[in-house]
């Protein structure tokens, strides 16, 4: 059972691969009889307060299912890594709380749990301190540190948990940035890249299993290669990934605006087989707020970045997340954010209200915005973002998009016959294409004409039948 982002989805597939290699069989959590589970593994998320609550609720729900079947429950993932023994003490419904250091021998630890042998709860550490401060020394040191998703071994370190024609592929782990609101580096560790050969090998393995689109994920993709001595390595890797037999489209996520170099923009915008898609982590647009966040940028610099992208690829997709209600945020700051969103015309915007996170610099900041005001600003910016992104979708009516067919069904008359995604739409977060008319086949990458919109979703027909 997996919560959180695509990086957690990848970790779950790694755990499934390792467990399968260790002799465990994957079954549905609610199976009965001979197929009933011995243990339910919950891969938790520990990013923000709501994610923590969702993870705890899922462990509790899994415990109810497990008890009815005589099974055990084990919590892994970011929440378990971040809180470890503290989580175990406060959540006795979990029979064990295991961190990243347990992943390599998780099969043995699950056997201990099922046999009733005590397994000591994970003891959290600041994982930034496990690797050298200098990026140049991290590759050799990373071999001695548990870093989920690194050390690719075909058919051992990954097992697909769905049959979608799109799959995430880990580019790197960890983050060296010190954003004042973010705790992720403390439990995901310092930034470390995966070697290109390892990534290409896993890409080929995924293609052999029917994957047509790769979504490159990390905590910060624009840092890729810095610990390998080459900050332009991603610019060379992307065309290589696009040439992997069977792969039709490669998408990059988690770009930092301050690190998005002109050469990288050119490769993403102009390489056949690479989606002209820019997932830019703006977080805000007011310069004073960004400085308090320990980030860089301004309305003008962000608009210039968007203009540079669209000069190369006018139909490029640009999406971002923003935080409102950060300590010290004023009405003037909110107005600056509104100005940026109005002029930037992004394709998708996630809006989040600020909340304190333990261990972060911002948790100790004065001038906290009252909760009611944070909520009001979330509603206000969300409403504006919805209006603007809907308009951006409407601008695509009459255009031709190249989409990946993801799912077909047997709908009622007049309903879409399936769903797909265009180049500007990442899985699960950016809307989708609603397929109408005949001629669709699963996992095809085809041209379609946009006939209408439903919010940010596009209503499309195959180009040759439109």
């Amino acid at each position: 059972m997996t919560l959180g982002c695509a990086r957690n989805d990848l970790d779950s597939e790694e755990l499934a691969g390792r467990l399968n290699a260790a002799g465990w069989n994957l079954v549905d959590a609610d199976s009965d009889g001979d197929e009933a589970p011995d243990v339910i593994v919950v891969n938790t998320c520990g990013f923000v307060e709501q994610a923590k609550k969702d993870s705890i609720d899922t462990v509790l729900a899994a415990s109810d299912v497990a008890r009815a079947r005589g099974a055990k429950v084990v919590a892994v993932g970011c929440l378990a890594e971040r809180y470890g023994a503290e989580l175990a003490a406060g959540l006795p419904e979990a029979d064990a709380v295991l961190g990243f250091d347990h992943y390599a021998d998780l099969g043995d630890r699950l056997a201990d749990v099922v046999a009733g042998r005590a397994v000591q709860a994970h003891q959290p550490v600041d994982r930034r301190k496990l690797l050298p401060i200098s990026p140049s020394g991290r590759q050799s040191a990373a071999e001695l540190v548990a870093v989920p998703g690194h050390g690719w071994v075909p058919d051992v370190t990954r097992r697909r948990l769905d049959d979608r024609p799109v799959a995430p592929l880990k580019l790197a782990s960890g983050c060296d940035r010190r954003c004042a609101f973010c705790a992720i580096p403390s439990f995901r560790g310092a930034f470390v890249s995966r070697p290109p050969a390892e990534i290409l090998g896993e890409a080929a393995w995924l293609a052999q299993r029917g994957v047509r689109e790769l979504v490159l994920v990390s905590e910060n993709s624009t840092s890729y290669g810095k610990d390998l001595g080459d900050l332009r390595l991603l610019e060379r890797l992307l065309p290589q990934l696009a040439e992997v037999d069977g792969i039709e489209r490669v998408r990059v996520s988690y770009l930092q605006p301050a690190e998005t170099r002109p050469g990288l923009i050119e490769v993403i915008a102009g390489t056949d087989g690479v989606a002209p898609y820019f997932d830019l982590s703006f977080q805000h647009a007011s310069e004073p707020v960004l400085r308090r966040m320990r980030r860089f940028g301004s309305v003008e610099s962000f608009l210039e970045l968007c203009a540079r992208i669209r000069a190369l690829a006018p139909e490029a997709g640009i999406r971002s997340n923003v935080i409102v209600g950060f300590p010290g945020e004023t009405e003037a700051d909110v107005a600056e954010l509104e100005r940026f969103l109005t002029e930037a015309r992004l394709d998708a915007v996630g809006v989040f209200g600020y909340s304190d996170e333990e261990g972060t610099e911002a948790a100790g900041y004065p001038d906290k915005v009252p909760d009611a005001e944070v909520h009001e600003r979330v509603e206000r910016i969300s409403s504006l973002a919805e209006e603007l992104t809907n308009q951006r979708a409407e601008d695509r009516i009459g255009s031709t998009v190249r989409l990946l067919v993801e799912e077909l069904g047997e709908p009622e008359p007049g309903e879409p016959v399936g769903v797909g995604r265009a180049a500007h739409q990442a899985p699960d977060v950016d809307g989708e294409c609603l397929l109408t008319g005949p001629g669709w086949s699963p996992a095809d990458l085809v041209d379609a004409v946009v006939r209408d919109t439903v919010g940010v979703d596009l209503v499309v027909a195959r180009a040759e039948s439109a």
Side-chain angles (χ1 to χ4, degrees):
M1 304 174 73
T2 306
L3 297 100
C5 64
R7 290 161 294 188
N8 243 21
D9 292 336
L10 271 171
D11 288 353
S12 285
E13 294 200 347
E14 177 189 350
L15 293 179
R18 291 187 180 278
L19 289 169
N20 189 245
W24 290 81
N25 295 317
L26 184 68
V27 300
D28 289 335
D30 57 358
S31 298
D32 290 314
D34 292 340
E35 290 295 306
D38 296 301
V39 59
I40 299 175
V41 180
V42 181
N43 189 358
T44 62
C45 178
F47 180 37
V48 293
E49 198 61 39
Q50 186 59 50
K52 298 176 198 174
K53 182 180 183 302
D54 291 344
S55 291
I56 291 171
D57 288 345
T58 302
V59 172
L60 294 174
S63 176
D64 291 339
V65 174
R67 300 301 174 248
R69 289 162 175 74
K72 306 289 186 180
V73 174
V74 171
V76 299
C78 291
L79 190 68
E81 176 64 36
R82 186 174 180 184
Y83 294 103
E86 179 185 348
L87 179 64
L91 193 62
E93 290 81 2
D95 295 285
V97 174
L98 307 180
F100 300 153
D101 292 336
H102 292 103
Y103 282 14
D105 58 357
L106 186 64
D108 291 338
R109 300 293 73 76
L110 296 191
D112 289 335
V113 171
V114 171
R117 295 186 290 269
V119 178
Q120 184 175 0
H122 165 65
Q123 298 295 326
V125 297
D126 187 339
R127 297 193 75 85
R128 291 172 294 192
K129 299 178 180 179
L130 299 181
L131 293 173
I133 294 176
S134 172
S136 62
R138 289 181 189 163
Q139 285 294 313
S140 57
E143 297 176 2
L144 305 175
V145 175
V147 183
H150 292 237
W152 170 247
V153 180
D155 299 317
V156 173
T157 50
R158 184 167 183 178
R159 174 177 170 173
R160 295 221 63 204
L161 296 178
D162 61 49
D163 59 358
R164 295 175 69 181
V166 57
L169 177 58
K170 183 165 286 189
L171 191 64
S173 294
C175 185
D176 290 340
R177 301 183 71 88
R178 294 296 179 265
C179 300
F181 53 82
C182 184
I184 288 177
S186 66
F187 57 87
R188 277 291 184 177
F191 183 89
V192 58
S193 305
R194 295 181 70 195
E198 187 173 303
I199 296 171
L200 289 165
E202 188 171 352
W205 182 89
L206 288 166
Q208 291 166 5
R209 283 150 184 81
V211 171
R212 294 294 171 260
E213 178 179 322
L214 301 173
V215 181
L216 302 184
V217 300
S218 68
E219 276 74 30
N220 178 6
S221 297
T222 38
S223 282
Y224 181 73
K226 74 175 187 180
D227 53 324
L228 296 170
D230 186 357
L231 266 175
R232 300 192 65 181
L233 193 54
L234 183 57
E235 297 167 34
R236 282 185 279 278
L237 177 62
L238 287 173
Q240 290 178 283
L241 285 168
E243 291 173 359
V244 171
D245 189 30
I247 297 301
E248 302 284 353
R249 189 159 69 193
V250 180
R251 183 184 305 276
V252 188
S253 57
Y254 304 111
L255 303 173
Q256 289 292 337
E259 299 177 25
T260 303
R261 301 168 297 280
L264 181 59
I265 295 173
E266 292 168 8
V267 169
I268 295 176
T271 303
D272 288 341
V274 176
Y277 174 82
F278 294 82
D279 176 14
L280 293 161
S281 178
F282 291 124
Q283 303 300 350
H284 210 282
S286 167
E287 194 166 0
V289 173
L290 289 166
R291 294 300 175 271
R292 288 195 295 274
M293 288 180 166
R294 303 298 183 198
R295 296 180 64 83
F296 303 94
S298 63
V299 171
E300 283 67 31
S301 67
F302 289 166
L303 289 175
E304 181 183 356
L305 177 57
C306 293
R308 190 182 309 134
I309 290 168
R310 289 183 174 135
L312 294 171
E315 298 302 314
I318 306 177
R319 70 109 52 217
S320 191
N321 295 319
V322 297
I323 299 171
V324 295
F326 192 77
E329 182 189 65
T330 65
E331 277 296 321
D333 295 322
V334 178
E336 278 289 87
L337 177 58
E338 290 173 320
R339 179 167 75 92
F340 166 68
L341 294 174
T342 300
E343 296 185 28
R345 298 186 65 78
L346 306 180
D347 293 270
V349 182
V351 182
F352 298 89
Y354 171 82
S355 62
D356 284 338
E357 284 296 315
E358 309 96 304
T360 63
E361 182 181 356
Y365 281 3
D367 302 323
K368 294 290 190 340
V369 179
D371 289 344
E373 184 67 18
V374 173
H375 179 75
E376 187 277 329
R377 291 178 185 179
V378 168
E379 293 294 314
R380 172 173 152 195
I381 297 300
S382 295
S383 178
L384 174 64
E386 180 179 9
E387 178 183 355
L388 293 169
T389 53
N390 288 354
Q391 290 174 3
R392 176 70 175 162
E394 290 168 1
D395 290 342
R396 296 183 185 274
I397 293 176
S399 68
T400 299
V401 296
R402 192 152 182 81
L403 63 82
L404 177 67
V405 179
E406 289 204 12
E407 183 180 341
L408 296 176
E410 297 182 1
E412 297 294 327
E415 294 295 317
V417 299
V419 295
R421 286 180 303 99
H424 70 282
Q425 296 169 321
D428 306 319
V429 292
D430 293 339
E432 56 194 12
C433 292
L434 307 177
L435 313 181
T436 63
W440 307 100
S441 298
D444 270 2
L445 199 71
V446 295
D447 289 335
V449 176
V450 181
R451 290 306 194 197
D452 201 354
T453 63
V454 180
V456 296
D457 295 337
L458 308 181
V459 179
V460 303
R462 276 196 70 135
E464 55 265 40
S465 62

